[in-house]
Protein backbone atom coordinates (compact mmCIF):
# COMPACT_ATOMS: atom_id res chain seq x y z
CA UNK A 1 0.00 0.00 0.00
CA UNK A 2 1.03 3.59 -0.49
CA UNK A 3 0.57 6.69 1.65
CA UNK A 4 -1.50 8.52 -0.95
CA UNK A 5 -3.02 5.72 -3.00
CA UNK A 6 -4.37 2.48 -1.59
CA UNK A 7 -3.88 -0.33 -4.12
CA UNK A 8 -5.97 -3.52 -3.87
CA UNK A 9 -6.25 -6.37 -6.34
CA UNK A 10 -8.47 -9.31 -7.10
CA UNK A 11 -8.16 -12.14 -9.62
CA UNK A 12 -11.36 -13.06 -11.45
CA UNK A 13 -12.59 -15.39 -14.15
CA UNK A 14 -11.19 -18.49 -15.87
CA UNK A 15 -8.19 -16.57 -17.23
CA UNK A 16 -7.23 -15.24 -13.78
CA UNK A 17 -7.51 -11.63 -14.80
CA UNK A 18 -6.26 -9.07 -12.32
CA UNK A 19 -8.51 -6.14 -11.48
CA UNK A 20 -7.02 -3.29 -9.47
CA UNK A 21 -8.82 -0.87 -7.19
CA UNK A 22 -7.00 2.43 -6.67
CA UNK A 23 -8.41 4.54 -3.86
CA UNK A 24 -7.14 7.92 -2.63
CA UNK A 25 -6.58 7.79 1.10
CA UNK A 26 -7.38 11.48 1.49
CA UNK A 27 -10.92 11.57 0.11
CA UNK A 28 -11.90 8.01 -0.90
CA UNK A 29 -12.06 8.75 -4.64
CA UNK A 30 -11.44 5.53 -6.55
CA UNK A 31 -11.04 3.96 -9.96
CA UNK A 32 -11.07 0.33 -11.05
CA UNK A 33 -8.61 -0.96 -13.63
CA UNK A 34 -10.18 -3.66 -15.84
CA UNK A 35 -13.68 -4.88 -14.97
CA UNK A 36 -12.50 -8.21 -16.21
CA UNK A 37 -15.09 -10.78 -15.20
CA UNK A 38 -17.55 -11.69 -12.42
CA UNK A 39 -19.42 -8.43 -11.85
CA UNK A 40 -20.81 -9.51 -8.50
CA UNK A 41 -17.36 -10.22 -7.04
CA UNK A 42 -16.06 -6.94 -8.43
CA UNK A 43 -18.97 -4.98 -6.97
CA UNK A 44 -18.34 -6.51 -3.55
CA UNK A 45 -14.63 -5.73 -3.99
CA UNK A 46 -15.20 -2.02 -4.63
CA UNK A 47 -17.78 -1.48 -1.86
CA UNK A 48 -18.48 0.36 0.33
CA UNK A 49 -16.65 3.30 -1.19
CA UNK A 50 -17.76 2.82 -4.80
CA UNK A 51 -15.79 4.03 -7.84
CA UNK A 52 -15.80 7.07 -10.10
CA UNK A 53 -14.36 5.40 -13.20
CA UNK A 54 -13.31 2.13 -14.78
CA UNK A 55 -10.18 2.15 -16.93
CA UNK A 56 -9.97 -0.64 -19.50
CA UNK A 57 -6.34 -1.29 -20.40
CA UNK A 58 -7.15 -2.79 -23.80
CA UNK A 59 -9.88 -4.23 -25.97
CA UNK A 60 -9.56 -7.99 -25.37
CA UNK A 61 -12.85 -9.28 -23.92
CA UNK A 62 -11.35 -11.02 -20.89
CA UNK A 63 -10.53 -7.52 -19.59
CA UNK A 64 -14.03 -6.06 -19.94
CA UNK A 65 -16.56 -8.89 -19.60
CA UNK A 66 -18.03 -7.34 -16.43
CA UNK A 67 -17.72 -3.72 -17.59
CA UNK A 68 -21.32 -3.06 -18.59
CA UNK A 69 -22.68 -4.52 -15.36
CA UNK A 70 -20.20 -2.60 -13.21
CA UNK A 71 -20.94 0.67 -15.01
CA UNK A 72 -24.69 0.08 -14.72
CA UNK A 73 -24.41 -0.61 -10.99
CA UNK A 74 -22.06 2.23 -10.09
CA UNK A 75 -22.71 4.96 -12.65
CA UNK A 76 -18.95 5.21 -13.13
CA UNK A 77 -17.27 6.58 -16.23
CA UNK A 78 -15.75 4.07 -18.65
CA UNK A 79 -12.35 5.15 -19.95
CA UNK A 80 -10.13 3.62 -22.66
CA UNK A 81 -7.77 4.57 -25.45
CA UNK A 82 -9.64 5.64 -28.61
CA UNK A 83 -7.83 3.06 -30.77
CA UNK A 84 -9.39 0.22 -28.77
CA UNK A 85 -12.65 1.90 -27.73
CA UNK A 86 -14.78 0.66 -30.68
CA UNK A 87 -14.35 -2.94 -29.48
CA UNK A 88 -15.17 -2.19 -25.84
CA UNK A 89 -18.91 -2.33 -25.08
CA UNK A 90 -19.25 1.01 -23.30
CA UNK A 91 -16.75 3.88 -23.35
CA UNK A 92 -17.70 7.34 -22.10
CA UNK A 93 -14.27 8.99 -22.23
CA UNK A 94 -10.87 8.56 -23.84
CA UNK A 95 -7.36 8.33 -22.39
CA UNK A 96 -4.46 9.23 -24.67
CA UNK A 97 -0.68 9.24 -24.36
CA UNK A 98 0.36 11.98 -21.96
CA UNK A 99 -3.06 12.42 -20.36
CA UNK A 100 -3.37 12.35 -16.60
CA UNK A 101 -6.01 10.66 -14.47
CA UNK A 102 -6.71 12.15 -11.08
CA UNK A 103 -7.71 9.84 -8.24
CA UNK A 104 -8.40 12.28 -5.44
CA UNK A 105 -5.13 14.12 -4.94
CA UNK A 106 -3.12 11.36 -6.66
CA UNK A 107 -2.14 11.73 -10.31
CA UNK A 108 -1.63 8.85 -12.73
CA UNK A 109 -0.01 9.30 -16.13
CA UNK A 110 -1.35 7.52 -19.22
CA UNK A 111 1.21 5.65 -21.34
CA UNK A 112 0.19 4.30 -24.77
CA UNK A 113 1.90 0.99 -25.63
CA UNK A 114 1.19 -0.25 -29.16
CA UNK A 115 1.56 -3.92 -30.04
CA UNK A 116 -0.54 -6.24 -27.91
CA UNK A 117 -3.43 -4.18 -29.26
CA UNK A 118 -3.41 -0.79 -31.03
CA UNK A 119 -4.86 0.98 -28.01
CA UNK A 120 -3.22 -0.68 -25.02
CA UNK A 121 -2.41 1.67 -22.15
CA UNK A 122 -0.53 1.59 -18.88
CA UNK A 123 -1.10 3.89 -15.89
CA UNK A 124 1.81 5.19 -13.82
CA UNK A 125 1.62 6.61 -10.30
CA UNK A 126 4.92 8.21 -9.28
CA UNK A 127 4.27 8.25 -5.53
CA UNK A 128 5.87 5.92 -2.97
CA UNK A 129 8.58 4.54 -5.23
CA UNK A 130 6.37 4.26 -8.31
CA UNK A 131 3.50 1.98 -9.27
CA UNK A 132 2.76 0.98 -12.87
CA UNK A 133 -0.34 -0.84 -14.12
CA UNK A 134 0.58 -2.51 -17.41
CA UNK A 135 -2.44 -4.50 -18.59
CA UNK A 136 -1.17 -7.18 -20.98
CA UNK A 137 1.73 -5.13 -22.35
CA UNK A 138 4.36 -6.12 -19.77
CA UNK A 139 4.63 -9.19 -17.56
CA UNK A 140 7.35 -10.72 -15.42
CA UNK A 141 9.35 -12.54 -18.09
CA UNK A 142 8.35 -10.64 -21.20
CA UNK A 143 6.10 -8.34 -23.12
CA UNK A 144 2.51 -9.19 -24.03
CA UNK A 145 1.54 -11.69 -26.71
CA UNK A 146 1.80 -10.37 -30.26
CA UNK A 147 0.76 -13.71 -31.83
CA UNK A 148 3.86 -14.07 -33.98
CA UNK A 149 3.33 -10.72 -35.72
CA UNK A 150 6.82 -9.24 -36.07
CA UNK A 151 5.62 -5.68 -36.65
CA UNK A 152 3.44 -5.81 -33.53
CA UNK A 153 6.28 -7.27 -31.48
CA UNK A 154 8.75 -4.68 -32.74
CA UNK A 155 6.29 -1.91 -31.84
CA UNK A 156 5.60 -3.30 -28.36
CA UNK A 157 9.22 -3.97 -27.41
CA UNK A 158 10.11 -0.47 -28.64
CA UNK A 159 7.36 1.19 -26.63
CA UNK A 160 8.02 -0.85 -23.50
CA UNK A 161 11.74 -0.09 -23.76
CA UNK A 162 11.52 3.63 -24.49
CA UNK A 163 8.43 4.57 -22.49
CA UNK A 164 8.88 2.31 -19.46
CA UNK A 165 12.42 0.97 -18.97
CA UNK A 166 14.18 4.08 -20.27
CA UNK A 167 12.10 6.41 -18.11
CA UNK A 168 11.36 4.55 -14.88
CA UNK A 169 13.58 3.66 -11.95
CA UNK A 170 14.39 0.09 -10.99
CA UNK A 171 12.31 0.36 -7.82
CA UNK A 172 9.02 0.89 -9.68
CA UNK A 173 6.58 -1.97 -9.04
CA UNK A 174 4.44 -3.03 -11.97
CA UNK A 175 1.11 -4.81 -11.87
CA UNK A 176 0.16 -6.88 -14.95
CA UNK A 177 -3.21 -8.00 -16.25
CA UNK A 178 -2.54 -11.60 -15.20
CA UNK A 179 -0.19 -13.15 -12.68
CA UNK A 180 2.21 -11.68 -10.17
CA UNK A 181 3.74 -8.25 -9.72
CA UNK A 182 7.38 -7.52 -10.47
CA UNK A 183 9.68 -4.50 -10.63
CA UNK A 184 11.31 -2.63 -13.47
CA UNK A 185 14.69 -3.48 -11.98
CA UNK A 186 14.00 -7.20 -11.82
CA UNK A 187 13.03 -7.33 -15.51
CA UNK A 188 15.49 -4.80 -16.95
CA UNK A 189 18.40 -7.30 -17.40
CA UNK A 190 16.16 -9.45 -19.64
CA UNK A 191 15.20 -6.84 -22.22
CA UNK A 192 17.80 -7.84 -24.80
CA UNK A 193 16.91 -11.50 -24.39
CA UNK A 194 13.25 -10.69 -25.05
CA UNK A 195 14.21 -8.65 -28.10
CA UNK A 196 16.39 -11.48 -29.45
CA UNK A 197 13.78 -14.20 -29.00
CA UNK A 198 11.09 -12.08 -30.65
CA UNK A 199 8.30 -12.60 -28.13
Amino acid sequence: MTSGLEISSISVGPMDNNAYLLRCRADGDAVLIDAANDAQRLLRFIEPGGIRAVVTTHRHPDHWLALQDVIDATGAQSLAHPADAPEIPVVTGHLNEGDTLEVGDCTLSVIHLVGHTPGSIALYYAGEGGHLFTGDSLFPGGVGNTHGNKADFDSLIHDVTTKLFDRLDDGVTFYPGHGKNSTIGAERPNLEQWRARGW
Side-chain angles (χ1 to χ4, degrees), residues 32 35 39-40 42-43 46-47 50-54 64-79 89-92:
L32 181 72
Q40 292 308 307
L42 288 175
L43 290 170
I46 65 179
E47 289 301 328
I51 53 171
R52 179 175 49 81
V54 178
W64 53 251
L65 281 168
L67 178 61
Q68 185 72 64
D69 288 343
V70 169
I71 294 297
D72 289 347
T74 62
Q77 287 183 286
S78 174
L79 306 174
V90 53
V91 175
T92 59

Side-chain angles (χ1 to χ4, degrees), residues 46-123:
I46 65 179
E47 289 301 328
I51 53 171
R52 179 175 49 81
V54 178
V55 176
T56 302
T57 57
H58 63 288
R59 68 190 187 188
H60 289 157
D62 58 307
H63 291 263
W64 53 251
L65 281 168
L67 178 61
Q68 185 72 64
D69 288 343
V70 169
I71 294 297
D72 289 347
T74 62
Q77 287 183 286
S78 174
L79 306 174
H81 191 278
D84 275 13
E87 296 189 36
I88 297 169
V90 53
V91 175
T92 59
H94 290 157
L95 294 173
N96 289 283
E97 171 77 23
D99 287 350
T100 57
L101 178 66
E102 307 299 328
V103 184
D105 60 9
C106 302
T107 300
L108 292 95
S109 302
V110 178
I111 304 170
H112 184 204
L113 304 167
V114 179
H116 183 66
T117 68
S120 290
I121 56 173
L123 294 176

